[in-house]
Amino acid sequence: MITLGFVGLYVALDAASFIHPLHGLNITPWNPAPALGLVFLLRRGPGARPVLVAAVLLSEYLVRGVPFPWWDSLLSALILAAGYLLLGEAFARRMPPSTLLDDRAALLGWMLPVVFGTLLNSLVYVSSLHLLGLLPPGGWLAGVRQFWVGDAVGITVAMPLFWWLSGERGRLALRAALPCWETLGYSLLGLLALWAAFGLGGDGGFKLFYFLFLPIVWASARQGMAGAIVSATLLQIGVIAAVQLLDFSAVTVAELQMLAVVMALIGFFIGGVVDEQRRTSDELRQTLRLAAAGEMAGALAHELNQPLTAMGAYASAYDALQARGEGGARLDAAINGMRAEARRAGEVVRRLRDFFRTGATQLEAVPLAELVAAAAAHYQAKARQAGVRFCVAEVPELMLLADRLQLEVVLRNLLSNAFDAVAATDAGARQVSIRAERLPGERVSICVEDSGSGLGRQDLERAFESFHSSKSSGLGLGLVISRAIAETHGGSLWGEVADYGVFKLVLPIQETPRP
């Protein structure tokens, strides 16, 4: 079924693109059928070679009607099919099909065989027509030029579309791009650009053809390679239709096709850059999540300590009750208590796993005082050992709707930075404080200050950059992760320029605790 569909589509494309043929031969300025054949070869492997040869032969007979001896037609068609087979082999050898059109390097690696492969195929095919006496002596150069332009343009513009339509990932990307208002927008802009180029500027040659670059740049910049493919295809069809319907003669069809190639390549490279940037951004977000998960490991240990300790206490009570021979409600209470604490420990682990995989948060009512106390408790012993005066001011009785584990990571990171900042100061001058105050607009400000040297304006601008750290062993991700968590909670995190260290975390408050 797939084979018959391919052959039928190949013949239909060849018939639709049989415009402005040179001497009635298969030499046209637009030839997208080979793009379909090359994609079929790459997707189906060596077994597709006889099918492609059959499609070329059938198309030669049905579309052009074989107006010369059949053996000459058969030979020329076989030469053409052999050229496409060799070009497909060049694609397969140069790069794995799985990486075709994935990034700029793949695009360049794909474009080189297209340009030089179609040129070589054009030379061989048109020369064979000349030797067989099917092409007049003076038409060889024009035939080579037109056939080369037709194949190069057809493959360049159509092959990405066929490649994406034949792959699951490409189909998903195109399905996401097509039913979109923005796609309608740049499609309408493409129609407007075609009207400006062929209508307003039709008598002046290429005078207004630069308008055609606007829709493809818009599409590729916003939707990546999917937008570039859709826009390039629509513009190519629009250019061919305009030439046919308007009998446009200010420039040759070959010149218009070269313009289409340039537009398509610009769109593909912009789309490739956009897709690369998005993949890099996704990878960076995943890296930040992994780093955040590492930062959260300390908070996880603190969170797990309570349910594990309670489980141990319940287990001891259970053993004591069994040893005395008791049963009934007290024994059931110990067992139920162990179950509840096990669920609590499992919930903590699940939340960390979810954040590790997707960055998801789980909001709950959290008393601000408990949150600050839990984060500060880890640094009480460290303050005594390092000779740091650690002051935890009285915290207002407020509730936050937050992920306790994530916000504790933020506070611990700020306190860790503060303790590192005062390590270089004199022992008697080391001070770190954390305080909270209610702000207008149902918000609370948590301020962490230290007696270190503080941050200058230039240092502060770089403090929240990824992988920038003033510590020799730092990754430069702590403040980036902390700000991301704060913004996820509807708050903000920033530092202030001062002679001492000042960082403020502002969060929305929750008046009524949620169950």
Side-chain angles (χ1 to χ4, degrees):
M1 191 65 184
I2 294 177
T3 299
L4 291 176
F6 161 73
V7 173
L9 184 57
Y10 187 97
V11 174
L13 279 174
D14 198 18
S17 61
F18 193 59
I19 57 174
H20 299 280
L22 192 65
H23 304 294
L25 300 169
N26 186 22
I27 302 177
T28 65
W30 180 47
N31 194 14
L36 179 66
L38 291 171
V39 170
F40 187 72
L41 280 176
L42 291 174
R43 291 294 192 190
R44 310 291 291 185
R49 293 170 184 167
V51 181
L52 177 59
V53 173
V56 173
L57 294 174
L58 186 62
S59 181
E60 182 73 17
Y61 175 76
L62 294 178
V63 175
R64 280 161 287 281
V66 194
F68 32 79
W70 67 267
W71 51 87
D72 288 346
S73 178
L74 176 63
L75 181 59
S76 63
L78 288 174
I79 291 173
L80 183 60
Y84 293 145
L85 291 176
L86 291 174
L87 187 55
E89 186 67 20
F91 282 133
R93 287 180 177 272
R94 187 170 183 84
M95 68 190 74
S98 59
T99 64
L100 192 68
L101 307 177
D102 271 2
D103 51 36
R104 285 170 293 175
L107 276 171
L108 184 61
W110 165 73
M111 200 58 219
L112 289 176
V114 170
V115 173
F116 295 106
T118 53
L119 175 59
L120 181 60
N121 198 32
S122 175
L123 290 170
V124 174
Y125 177 65
V126 176
S127 297
S128 70
L129 294 177
H130 178 68
L131 292 175
L132 291 171
L134 304 176
L135 190 67
W140 181 84
L141 184 59
V144 169
R145 183 172 61 247
Q146 182 161 311
F147 190 82
W148 180 31
V149 170
D151 268 18
V153 172
I155 293 173
T156 300
V157 177
M159 188 173 175
L161 176 64
F162 293 139
W163 179 258
W164 277 45
L165 287 174
S166 63
E168 182 64 26
R169 192 180 71 175
R171 285 197 297 270
L172 290 175
L174 290 174
R175 257 200 303 265
L178 287 176
C180 173
W181 286 109
E182 196 162 20
T183 304
L184 179 61
Y186 65 69
S187 299
L188 293 176
L189 181 60
L191 291 175
L192 183 62
L194 287 167
W195 172 78
F198 287 92
L200 294 179
D203 297 330
F206 277 98
K207 191 172 294 183
L208 296 179
F209 274 85
Y210 52 83
F211 283 123
L212 295 174
F213 286 91
L214 294 178
I216 197 165
V217 170
W218 175 9
S220 54
R222 293 289 298 169
Q223 296 181 347
M225 185 62 75
I229 290 172
V230 173
S231 182
T233 303
L234 293 177
L235 286 175
Q236 174 69 71
I237 294 173
V239 167
I240 294 298
V243 170
Q244 291 294 97
L245 294 175
L246 301 178
D247 194 22
F248 191 66
S249 59
V251 292
T252 66
V253 177
E255 288 174 318
L256 289 174
Q257 290 297 74
M258 294 306 295
L259 174 68
V261 167
V262 173
M263 287 192 301
L265 289 180
I266 289 175
F268 293 158
F269 275 97
I270 293 175
V273 170
V274 170
D275 285 351
E276 284 184 59
Q277 187 272 333
R278 288 174 180 171
R279 284 196 296 269
T280 302
S281 179
D282 291 341
E283 291 170 1
L284 178 59
R285 279 196 293 270
Q286 179 66 10
T287 301
L288 292 178
R289 283 200 293 269
L290 295 176
E295 294 282 340
M296 291 172 72
L300 173 66
H302 175 77
E303 288 281 325
L304 284 176
N305 183 60
Q306 293 179 357
L308 292 178
T309 301
M311 286 174 66
Y314 281 123
S316 298
Y318 177 84
D319 291 340
L321 290 171
Q322 268 204 330
R324 293 200 299 264
E326 292 192 33
R330 297 183 66 184
L331 195 63
D332 291 341
I335 295 174
N336 291 333
M338 283 190 286
R339 289 195 185 117
E341 295 301 329
R343 284 195 297 269
R344 181 182 169 191
E347 178 68 13
V348 171
V349 174
R350 186 188 64 79
R351 284 165 54 193
L352 179 67
R353 183 197 61 199
D354 290 344
F355 184 83
F356 191 96
R357 291 169 51 198
T358 64
T361 59
Q362 179 172 323
L363 302 181
E364 60 179 323
V366 180
L368 178 61
E370 286 186 15
L371 183 67
V372 172
H378 181 74
Y379 293 92
Q380 297 290 358
K382 184 175 181 179
R384 290 191 295 270
Q385 295 171 0
V388 177
R389 184 184 173 190
F390 184 29
C391 176
V392 181
E394 186 175 353
V395 178
E397 292 295 328
L398 299 173
M399 300 295 292
L400 304 178
L401 186 62
D403 189 302
R404 181 195 301 265
L405 203 59
Q406 293 185 24
L407 285 187
E408 188 175 329
V409 166
V410 176
L411 294 180
R412 286 171 61 135
N413 183 65
L414 295 178
L415 289 172
S416 175
N417 289 344
F419 273 80
D420 290 339
V422 301
T425 62
D426 296 336
R430 297 173 184 170
Q431 295 184 18
V432 173
S433 66
I434 181 170
R435 54 186 172 83
E437 60 177 330
R438 185 167 184 164
L439 300 177
E442 302 301 322
R443 297 179 304 156
V444 63
S445 171
I446 305 171
C447 181
V448 177
E449 297 182 355
D450 63 73
S451 60
S453 57
L455 294 175
R457 187 168 301 278
Q458 186 175 2
D459 294 330
L460 192 58
E461 290 176 355
R462 300 199 63 192
F464 290 92
E465 291 182 6
S466 299
F467 307 110
H468 171 74
S469 177
S470 58
K471 309 172 191 176
S472 59
S473 59
L475 293 176
L477 294 174
L479 288 175
V480 178
I481 294 168
S482 298
R483 172 174 278 182
I485 292 174
E487 291 174 350
T488 301
H489 285 77
S492 57
L493 173 65
W494 72 89
E496 295 182 355
V497 177
D499 296 332
Y500 55 94
V502 182
F503 281 89
K504 291 186 177 179
L505 171 65
V506 174
L507 296 167
I509 61 176
Q510 172 81 9
E511 283 293 342
T512 305
R514 293 190 177 186

